[in-house]
Amino acid sequence: MLESIDHRLRQREYLLQISRAMTAQLDLVSVLSLVISYAVEMTAGTSGLIALYDEDGSDELRIRASAHLSREDWPAFARLLTLPLSEIPRRGEAVLREIAADTGLTLRQMIALPLVLRDTPVGVIYVFRAALNVAFSANDRQVLEDFADQAAIAVFNARLYQGVLREKQRLDATIEQSADGVMIIDSRWRIVTFNKAMEHLTGWSREEAIGRPCAEVLAIHNPQGVNICLVDCPLNRLPYIANPVVEGRIVTRDGRELFVQSRYAPQRGPQGQFLGAIANVRDITAQKQEEELQNTFISVISHELKTPVSIIKGYAGTLRREDVTFTPEQYREGLAVIEEEADRLARQIQDLLDVSRLTAGGLRLELTDVSLPLLAAEVVRGFAATAGERYQFELRFPDDMPPVRADYERVRQVLNNLVSNAVKYSPEGGTIRIGGWNEQDFAVCYVSDQGIGIPPEEQEAIFRRFYRVDNRLARETQGSGLGLFLTRAIVEAHGGRIWVESQVGKGSRFVFTLPLGRRKLVDLRRPAEAERASSGE
Ligand code: ADP
């Protein structure tokens, strides 16, 4: 009796140890090894093993842990594993003898119990004895059942843990590969996860960012330059807004200025307490620039179109006054202004049409042989008549300059734009020179002036749509910032290039190239399609 109480106490002690081990370590094999060692000891066995079915639901058992059996002996037990539990009473002993013969182990008796988890068999626990004299009792079976329950729970926990781990790895990989910046913050607003896109976006490395307050790493500023994340943290709006969104500027660690949008999804505990949040951050700089461009477009265009219209209206209104008598000279001058402004209006409308066609990809080139010296002379004649005495125009082309293969009207537009700019941005006057030479398959042509010049950092930007250098002169002179954009598009559609060489205060030289020789008809912006169209496909 005493012995039995002692036995039960020890068993309880072991079960306690196993459950401690289970909470301390979720490694399945370690817990199973403990279970089988104690089970063997408690049932006075000599050895034992635990075999589990694979998680994918196959009915094949695999040994996962053993007590007092070396791993080399495991294969010999394969024939036991294929034996259904119901067959054990009848054929178990014979199988055991075969295994004993193979391995040289003394195995005389066996007790086997299924490990069942929520009515699903997950494996089998086997205990062997070397002695024949005492048979396994009902008590032994009970002991083993208790251990089997523990083993089943261990399997359940470990599989759950493995599943969570796998899910977490998958989630980590998804977050890491996400094209958007993803940042997870804890309940104290500190960064705990920071993906690759986030590193790229902010210039902060993951190692540096993790553990820091998110308002420091992603400092989103409003137009007034205030760090929204510090003074009006979007997460404070959580009680009122489920998924707050903020937009604003950030300066990256490597000094880039970006416009970002950050969306927050809160994570909550079972009682609704705030556990942290996931922030999804996107670079919307390009989108914002496009929006700004649209706004500039509307303000610039309305201003540019309104100016000639009001001049025309003003002159027309004055000339038709009946209470004033005008001299024929005054009439002529007034009508000349009206005509000039109407032409300007027409040019601007044409520019706008060209830009919209260009954006839609449908501006066609009619290619012919064009003599640049003759075309340049024609353009200069037009300007020389109106530009005033402060400007001298010079043409510098070699006599044997071969023709270019180009759209006459479009090249005239290019030269007109460049010469018009040369005049516009040379308030003191000076020499405006148009010249060229040929270089292998290309003609090189330039328009130079002695005007205000363009700072080096602006020399690429001036070719962008609506871009104007922000200086006094540009503010005072009329212009929409479309001229050079169109000029470049036309030159590039011909297969040429355009660039500017300039020094502030000294002047600028715009240089472009156009191909010599015969070329096919091409569409602006859609060279491939135009090629197909002209080859009759
Ligand atoms: P717009 O003249 O209508 O403003 P453009 O696209 O022709 O538009 O030119 C863009 C900007 O480039 C101008 O606003 C001006 O600041 C600068 N720019 C162009 N040509 C010259 C030049 N010859 N000298 C100095 N600045 C120039």
Side-chain angles (χ1 to χ4, degrees):
M1 181 65 182
L2 260 184
E3 197 185 329
S4 153
I5 291 175
D6 182 45
H7 197 74
R8 297 299 296 176
L9 277 178
R10 272 177 59 214
Q11 185 195 349
R12 188 158 307 161
E13 180 61 22
Y14 283 150
L15 289 176
L16 209 64
Q17 277 188 36
I18 291 169
S19 51
R20 269 200 210 112
M22 261 168 27
T23 40
Q25 54 188 17
L26 283 157
D27 171 27
L28 179 62
V29 173
S30 318
V31 179
L32 292 181
S33 300
L34 267 183
V35 169
I36 189 66
S37 302
Y38 294 154
V40 167
E41 190 181 326
M42 289 307 298
T43 53
T46 31
S47 57
L49 56 86
I50 295 182
L52 299 183
Y53 298 109
D54 276 341
E55 229 172 319
D56 57 19
S58 77
D59 53 3
E60 204 173 306
L61 281 168
R62 264 195 318 128
I63 302 176
R64 303 297 296 270
S66 67
H68 311 298
L69 281 178
S70 96
R71 277 188 91 96
E72 284 110 65
D73 291 330
W74 283 10
F77 286 86
R79 52 168 78 80
L80 178 62
L81 304 185
T82 53
L83 192 67
L85 287 185
S86 54
E87 290 284 304
I88 286 187
R90 207 165 57 81
R91 292 169 49 203
E93 259 180 50
V95 173
L96 217 52
R97 268 200 301 280
E98 285 171 26
I99 298 172
D102 274 5
T103 56
L105 296 167
T106 318
L107 305 167
R108 298 231 166 79
Q109 285 187 57
M110 160 171 65
I111 179 169
L113 264 186
L115 302 181
V116 181
L117 193 69
R118 296 183 171 172
D119 299 332
T120 313
V122 290
V124 184
I125 182 166
Y126 300 90
V127 174
F128 311 106
R129 267 190 191 156
L132 263 181
N133 47 354
V134 198
F136 279 112
S137 63
N139 190 38
D140 288 332
R141 184 163 277 274
Q142 180 57 51
V143 168
L144 208 57
E145 252 168 35
D146 291 345
F147 281 104
D149 286 347
Q150 291 293 318
I153 294 168
V155 172
F156 177 73
N157 283 349
R159 289 198 169 154
L160 209 60
Y161 179 70
Q162 289 300 328
V164 171
L165 209 63
R166 258 200 310 277
E167 208 45 52
K168 181 177 178 323
Q169 280 163 351
R170 205 166 27 220
L171 205 65
D172 283 350
T174 314
I175 289 177
E176 184 60 11
Q177 298 310 321
S178 160
D180 286 349
V182 180
M183 167 173 87
I184 302 182
I185 53 180
D186 65 13
S187 58
R188 290 162 52 235
W189 277 244
R190 298 203 176 259
I191 299 172
V192 288
T193 300
F194 200 73
N195 76 347
K196 209 173 358 177
M198 210 56 203
E199 286 187 317
H200 183 72
L201 202 77
T202 60
W204 282 78
S205 77
R206 180 170 324 184
E207 292 72 30
E208 286 175 304
I210 286 180
R212 280 185 199 262
C214 59
E216 186 188 344
V217 175
L218 188 76
I220 302 179
H221 288 78
N222 67 10
Q224 289 72 42
V226 177
N227 184 348
I228 310 171
C229 297
L230 272 184
V231 300
D232 180 23
C233 172
L235 291 171
N236 287 337
R237 303 177 207 160
L238 274 178
Y240 322 105
I241 302 170
N243 293 96
V245 182
V246 278
E247 285 186 5
R249 281 182 204 288
I250 61 164
V251 177
T252 66
R253 251 200 149 183
D254 41 345
R256 288 170 293 139
E257 197 175 306
L258 299 178
F259 207 95
V260 298
Q261 181 190 66
S262 187
R263 288 176 177 274
Y264 300 85
Q267 294 178 301
R268 298 199 178 277
Q271 268 81 48
Q273 73 275 32
F274 179 71
L275 296 179
I278 302 176
N280 205 280
V281 190
R282 292 180 122 180
D283 177 1
I284 54 165
T285 314
Q287 193 182 320
K288 278 282 151 188
Q289 277 169 350
E290 191 54 37
E291 272 171 32
E292 270 172 31
L293 220 57
Q294 292 301 339
N295 292 339
T296 320
F297 176 82
I298 294 175
S299 54
V300 166
I301 291 312
S302 41
H303 174 254
E304 285 297 298
L305 297 184
K306 254 163 72 184
T307 312
V309 170
S310 39
I311 296 176
I312 292 170
K313 184 162 167 48
Y315 270 82
T318 310
L319 290 182
R320 86 181 262 279
R321 277 172 66 171
E322 285 166 10
D323 56 332
V324 190
T325 327
F326 294 104
T327 64
E329 179 60 18
Q330 282 172 321
Y331 265 118
R332 254 197 310 278
E333 261 177 31
L335 289 173
V337 172
I338 290 177
E339 194 180 6
E340 220 173 82
E341 292 300 317
D343 283 348
R344 193 144 73 92
L345 197 57
R347 268 200 312 276
Q348 275 163 358
I349 292 172
Q350 187 56 46
D351 272 3
L352 275 180
L353 283 177
D354 284 352
V355 169
S356 69
R357 280 204 200 114
L358 199 66
T359 325
L363 207 60
R364 287 177 78 80
L365 297 182
E366 300 288 340
L367 298 184
T368 56
D369 282 347
V370 178
S371 158
L372 280 178
L374 290 181
L375 180 56
E378 195 184 312
V379 168
V380 160
R381 258 199 307 283
F383 279 96
T386 52
E389 286 162 6
R390 283 174 300 154
Y391 298 89
Q392 290 85 50
F393 290 91
E394 270 184 32
L395 291 173
R396 292 269 179 93
F397 285 98
D399 292 339
D400 59 346
M401 184 85 187
V404 290
R405 191 77 192 148
D407 184 312
Y408 186 85
E409 279 310 318
R410 294 289 172 202
V411 179
R412 187 221 287 269
Q413 205 180 341
V414 166
L415 284 174
N416 255 328
N417 277 340
L418 295 180
V419 176
S420 145
N421 279 350
V423 172
K424 231 166 39 173
Y425 300 106
S426 306
E428 310 289 323
T431 303
I432 292 170
R433 199 170 282 142
I434 309 179
W437 64 89
N438 56 310
E439 230 177 68
Q440 291 169 352
D441 296 339
F442 281 88
V444 184
C445 185
Y446 66 85
V447 176
S448 70
D449 62 54
Q450 296 170 330
I452 58 167
I454 301 156
E457 65 278 10
E458 309 270 11
Q459 290 178 8
E460 180 53 38
I462 53 168
F463 292 98
R464 285 192 217 135
R465 201 161 37 143
F466 305 124
Y467 193 90
R468 305 193 74 204
V469 177
D470 190 15
N471 57 27
R472 196 175 51 81
L473 188 62
R475 277 194 297 275
E476 285 168 5
T477 50
Q478 289 190 330
S480 54
L482 286 178
L484 288 179
F485 171 71
L486 281 172
T487 301
R488 177 163 72 177
I490 293 170
V491 169
E492 288 180 352
H494 281 87
R497 280 193 327 113
I498 181 165
W499 65 95
V500 64
E501 297 155 358
S502 181
Q503 249 184 309
V504 174
K506 291 236 163 105
S508 313
R509 188 164 95 127
F510 284 83
V511 190
F512 62 92
T513 63
L514 287 174
L516 301 172
R518 297 195 70 83
R519 289 247 159 170
K520 284 184 188 161
L521 199 71
V522 287
D523 269 348
L524 278 181
R525 279 285 174 96
R526 283 193 184 166
E529 248 174 56
E531 294 265 312
R532 273 204 303 281
S534 64
S535 65
E537 276 174 33

